Amino acid sequence: MIGLISATAAGAAARDRLAAAWPERTRVYEGPVKEAVRAAFAECEQLVCFLATGAVVRLLAPLLTEKAADPGVVCVDEGGRFAVSLLGGHGGGANELAREVGALLGAEPVVTTATDAVGLPGLDTLGLPYEGAVAAVSRALLDGEPVALAAEVPWPLPPLPVADEGAYTIRLTDRDAVPGEREVLLRPPSLVVGVGASKGAPAEEVLGLIEGALREAGLTARSVGRLATVDAKAGEPGIVAAAERLGVPLVTYSAEELAGVAVPNPSAAPLAAVGTPSVAEAAALLGGGELLVPKRKSAMATCAVVRRPARGRLAVVGLGPGARDLLTPRAAAELRRASVVVGLDQYVDQIRDLLRPGTRVLQSGLGAEEERARTAVAQARAGHAVALIGSGDAGVYAMASPALAEASDDIDVVGVPGVTAALAAGAILGAPLGHDHVSISLSDLHTPWEVIERRVRAAAEADLVVTFYNPRSRGRDWQLPKALAILAGHREPGTPVGVVRNASRPDESSRVTTLAALDPASVDMMTVVTVGNTATRIIAGRMVTPRGYRWQASREEPK
């Protein structure tokens, strides 16, 4: 819960805007400010104070206990110009809260945490349990000192400026190790514990069996990602309680699923009781992995431990038409999250400044689309967080198709939509896509011309607005005239045509002409050509396709 405190009418107005936007997340504290801050500090995970930072510092000082326990605090000034992350930037989530509050109120977020200020992810913000010298290792990263990454377990991490060797170390491990003086241990959720239990098995026995198995194998409970069992034991109190105490989810599988898993130690007892020869080992192994601890038994419970394979992450990111303000926030977030970025060299140049220090860039030139797709998938399979970038929308004549053709279900795939060229050009031209429309690429590099021509004819006969991608290049100068001639067989010579080159970029140019007047020689690969349908009109110099076909021809059209 976020506590909201204000002292003036201006502060209350901003406070109420926040409360209205986040009714489920916020609670307004009225009354004297000192008492309100004290109450909110004790009851809420975060605070937003519409007060001067100096005043909030004085009010908070007597209440502070320790970094890990204090709530995150954001201050917003009376003018609503700044949202200042004052306390608990990482641990309390104040840095992210300042950004959220700033976006909602139109205020500038002020974040002074050293790692955030230079674009480094905080080691305590990666979503993984951690131990060790976080401050010292973070300072070494900030100072540019060599910090080694020792990944005993492959796991997708955001970019970090690490080296092969260094006086400081970030160790990614699920082993029960003690961090060194200059070391941070990151605990990935790489372990799955399969559990079986007789009816009424005490939680203490189940938990004790699990903890003993982990301890004897030299593994840490902090890397347990989930407990797994058979559906019939989904509500067994001892198993449910063990999962709760470990702070991990309990997942269940049908007896049929578990019976299909090959295990080293099958047994007749679970087969008779729940319909599968193995519960603990099969539940842990379902989904793949390395069996680290074979089935262990206590009086009323069994367990087994598997190290599951790391699942890399592939984000297929559309960068939009080129303008930075048309790059979506989600795309920018994925670029910051990725430790590996794969893309065409000229697209990488567009967003290089958004990448965090330590990001590995794999770029190539024109014509290497399939190679880039294979590279991105291979990097994700190796356990990395990967962003495969393309212009416009990644799913429209771009990288999503070849990448997903290579990818299987052993990696996580996320699609990030972007503003595609047809939409960017349409916004510049007016409203040419107001009714049914189609996009057709005139490049016959991957598609035979006979297929392209058949599609152009179908669009012409169906009276669809047509946007041509890849309309003309030095080596392909006849396809656009041919496509326009096909459309001219079904539309009047005066049909509006919009031509946009480098939409949204500094050298953008556009014009509206007609089907008869368009000179194909004025078009190149950086151009999008939009041909209207029989209802499209030019109104005040803009292309407009009405939403319906009941065009009021009797009404005088605006000039």
Side-chain angles (χ1 to χ4, degrees):
M1 185 61 67
I2 303 171
L4 306 180
I5 301 107
S6 63
T8 67
R15 175 203 68 191
D16 292 344
R17 284 177 60 194
L18 213 59
W22 298 338
E24 304 299 322
R25 298 176 61 190
T26 57
R27 179 188 303 161
V28 174
Y29 284 79
E30 303 277 9
V33 171
K34 184 175 182 179
E35 285 75 11
V37 169
R38 183 181 296 275
F41 195 89
E43 298 169 359
C44 297
E45 292 83 18
Q46 295 174 318
L47 279 69
V48 179
C49 299
F50 296 86
L51 303 164
T53 54
V56 176
V57 167
R58 294 182 183 279
L59 290 168
L60 291 178
L63 308 176
L64 300 179
T65 56
E66 58 177 296
K67 181 177 181 180
D70 293 332
V73 179
V74 170
C75 287
V76 179
D77 65 288
E78 287 290 300
R81 297 171 299 166
F82 304 104
V84 182
S85 174
L86 184 67
L87 180 70
H90 283 170
N95 291 350
E96 184 57 34
L97 180 60
R99 297 184 182 99
E100 287 187 86
V101 170
L104 186 62
L105 299 180
E108 180 72 22
V110 178
V111 176
T112 58
T113 307
T115 50
D116 290 64
V118 297
L120 283 175
L123 297 177
D124 53 351
T125 66
L126 301 180
L128 302 178
Y130 59 90
E131 304 163 40
V134 171
V137 175
S138 296
R139 189 177 303 114
L141 288 170
L142 289 167
D143 291 343
E145 297 187 47
V147 176
L149 175 64
E152 296 177 4
V153 180
W155 208 261
L157 291 176
L160 294 166
V162 292
D164 293 332
E165 297 180 352
Y168 298 83
T169 304
I170 300 169
R171 188 175 303 277
L172 193 65
T173 181
D174 54 20
R175 295 288 176 185
D176 188 15
V178 176
E181 197 174 300
R182 294 185 170 188
E183 185 176 53
V184 171
L185 302 184
L186 297 178
R187 304 299 197 176
S190 53
L191 304 178
V192 179
V193 179
V195 183
S198 301
K199 185 175 181 180
E204 290 74 15
E205 180 178 339
V206 177
L207 190 59
L209 179 65
I210 294 170
E211 291 176 340
L214 292 169
R215 185 169 54 252
E216 291 181 24
L219 302 169
T220 175
R222 304 193 78 188
S223 279
V224 174
R226 62 178 182 261
L227 298 193
T229 190
V230 66
D231 285 345
K233 296 296 179 179
E236 185 62 44
I239 295 177
V240 172
E244 290 175 351
R245 293 187 195 179
L246 288 169
V248 299
L250 174 64
V251 298
T252 64
Y253 304 105
S254 69
E256 291 76 16
E257 289 178 289
L258 297 183
V261 179
V263 297
N265 300 294
S267 172
L271 180 61
V274 293
T276 172
S278 172
V279 173
E281 287 181 339
L285 282 167
L286 193 62
E290 177 188 3
L291 184 63
L292 302 180
V293 180
K295 181 174 66 176
R296 290 172 54 107
K297 299 177 66 175
S298 65
M300 300 183 71
T302 59
C303 80
V305 182
V306 163
R307 178 181 288 136
R308 59 175 170 158
R311 286 185 67 85
R313 187 174 191 277
L314 173 62
V316 188
V317 180
L319 302 180
R324 179 57 57 85
D325 60 352
L326 291 181
L327 177 76
T328 67
R330 186 178 299 179
E334 289 293 346
L335 293 174
R336 289 193 297 270
R337 177 174 182 166
S339 60
V340 181
V341 170
V342 181
L344 180 68
D345 46 15
Q346 63 187 25
Y347 298 150
V348 170
D349 290 341
Q350 289 179 22
I351 48 84
R352 197 181 295 273
D353 62 302
L354 296 178
L355 305 181
R356 279 175 156 166
T359 304
R360 189 154 49 96
V361 176
L362 304 176
Q363 62 186 53
S364 52
L366 287 168
E369 288 82 5
E370 293 181 357
E371 176 190 341
R372 283 194 290 276
R374 286 192 294 268
T375 297
V377 171
Q379 290 293 318
R381 285 196 175 120
H384 300 298
V386 182
L388 174 61
I389 62 173
S391 68
D393 181 276
V396 181
Y397 305 122
M399 295 305 301
S401 293
L404 269 60
E406 291 285 335
S408 53
D409 61 0
D410 57 346
I411 61 174
D412 295 324
V413 178
V414 178
V416 182
V419 178
T420 189
L423 300 181
I428 294 165
L429 296 170
L433 309 182
H435 209 284
D436 297 337
H437 55 275
V438 63
S439 296
I440 298 176
S441 171
L442 293 184
S443 171
D444 55 3
L445 180 63
H446 299 291
T447 306
W449 173 253
E450 293 76 14
V451 175
I452 297 172
E453 181 174 338
R454 189 164 65 247
R455 291 171 180 172
V456 174
R457 289 189 186 281
E461 293 169 359
D463 198 30
L464 297 172
V465 175
V466 182
T467 298
F468 288 122
Y469 282 68
N470 306 313
R472 184 177 181 273
S473 68
R474 289 182 186 148
R476 293 187 302 100
D477 58 1
W478 59 268
Q479 286 91 340
L480 179 59
K482 177 66 173 176
L484 294 174
I486 293 171
L487 291 175
H490 297 266
R491 298 177 195 182
E492 296 295 326
T495 299
V497 176
V499 180
V500 180
R501 188 177 190 278
N502 284 333
S504 86
R505 300 183 184 184
D507 57 345
E508 169 190 299
S509 64
S510 65
R511 67 186 188 278
V512 177
T513 181
T514 64
L515 190 55
L518 174 63
D519 179 8
S522 66
V523 173
D524 62 14
M525 284 288 286
M526 306 303 293
T527 306
V528 173
V529 177
T530 300
V531 182
N533 65 12
T534 56
T536 305
R537 299 289 186 269
I538 298 177
I539 301 176
R542 305 181 188 94
M543 279 182 73
V544 179
T545 302
R547 291 182 60 188
Y549 284 96
R550 298 185 182 88
W551 188 264
Q552 297 179 4
S554 59
R555 212 174 129 189
E556 185 177 351
E557 298 174 2
K559 303 297 183 187

